[in-house]
Amino acid sequence: MNSRRVLPLLMFLGAGCTSTPPAAYDARGTVEVPEIDLGAMSAARVIAIRVEEGAAVQSGDTVALLSQIEMSATLAGQGARVAAASANLRDLESGSRPEEVRRAEAEVGAASAELERATRELGRIRELASRDVLSRQTFDDAVTADRVARARLSASEEAVRLLKAGTRPERIAAGRADLANARAALAQIEARAADLVLVTPVAGIVLSRNAEPGEGLAPNVPVVTIGETARPYVRVFVPQSRVTGLAVGSAAEVVTEDGRTMAGRVVAINPKAEYTPRVALSEQERADLMFGVKVEFANPAEAPHPGLWVTVRLGRTGDSVR
């Protein structure tokens, strides 16, 4: 083949095999932070709110105080039940008091003396009855008195044995269960009381005050909303044609209105497509399904204030932040 024909052909084939990497895609969005709604798990009344909107808070700060009318009485009543159950268990575990044992032993002595007297009387009456001096009824009464005395002595001796043996294990186990149940109920009430003191679990800023002192609130109604500034992010919408070039971990840049550039990375891509608001798209883009993409800042301390508009620049396929 003529070398003049081969050279243009090779140049054509080489040009066909070269692909230009897609350019970065810019999308607009606002800086957001995770929002945490603080409220009571049960109905309560707002007593005080200690923060204002926009205020910075640290983890563990008290932001609001709530109250429930019956809480103090409920706590006192359950505390008394715990004390009673504890005292009952101590009494069961300690067993019989020495005074009780001595009294029972005295009963044994009295029963023994009574049996001795009844036995002597029965012997005397039996001898008289054998000579037909006494009636049959008198003899029968003496026999009965002897039997009663023996039964009384046996019961007294058994009472002493039980007192010395102590409380049955079953009763002690039941006492322990009663105490555990009372303590669990008290812990539940104390948890409800602690729930009336609203403490922020994270550092951040107060995004909104949703109630005022004096208001009665239903369960789970937020009193204060906290934004966690340690985890700022931007959510943007990317057309289907560009999502295929993205993956979790892909590199991104966040550009502010004043031109500052910050590093970021893709942390989530919505699995379902949706339309974005019309103001954010051109007419051509409105016909294309868009996917939500969440981008976090590599250095959260550099993030702009929540609510500010920024531009997110998404890189080419394969770029990633380690």
Side-chain angles (χ1 to χ4, degrees), residues 24 34 131 146 161 222 243 246 288 290 300 321:
R131 291 182 293 173
D146 180 74
R161 186 187 67 80
V243 167
L246 295 177
D288 194 6
M290 307 292 284
V321 176

Side-chain angles (χ1 to χ4, degrees), residues 5 22 26-27 52 69 71 74-75 80 94 98 103 111 154 171 177 197 201-202 217 239 269-270 282 309:
R5 294 182 180 179
D26 289 352
E52 298 293 336
I69 297 175
M71 182 55 66
T74 303
L75 273 172
S94 62
R103 185 178 65 183
S154 177
R171 291 191 61 192
V197 179
V202 297
L217 302 178
I269 301 174
N270 283 2
S282 67
W309 281 90

Side-chain angles (χ1 to χ4, degrees), residues 3 16 27 31 34 48 50 99 114 120 131 137-138 149 157-158 161 164 208 258 284 298 304-305:
S3 60
V31 179
R50 296 183 174 179
E99 296 82 358
E114 177 63 23
R120 286 200 306 269
R131 291 182 293 173
Q137 181 63 45
T138 302
E157 291 174 339
E158 181 66 15
R161 186 187 67 80
K164 290 183 176 180
S208 64
D258 58 4
Q284 179 181 354
H305 192 276

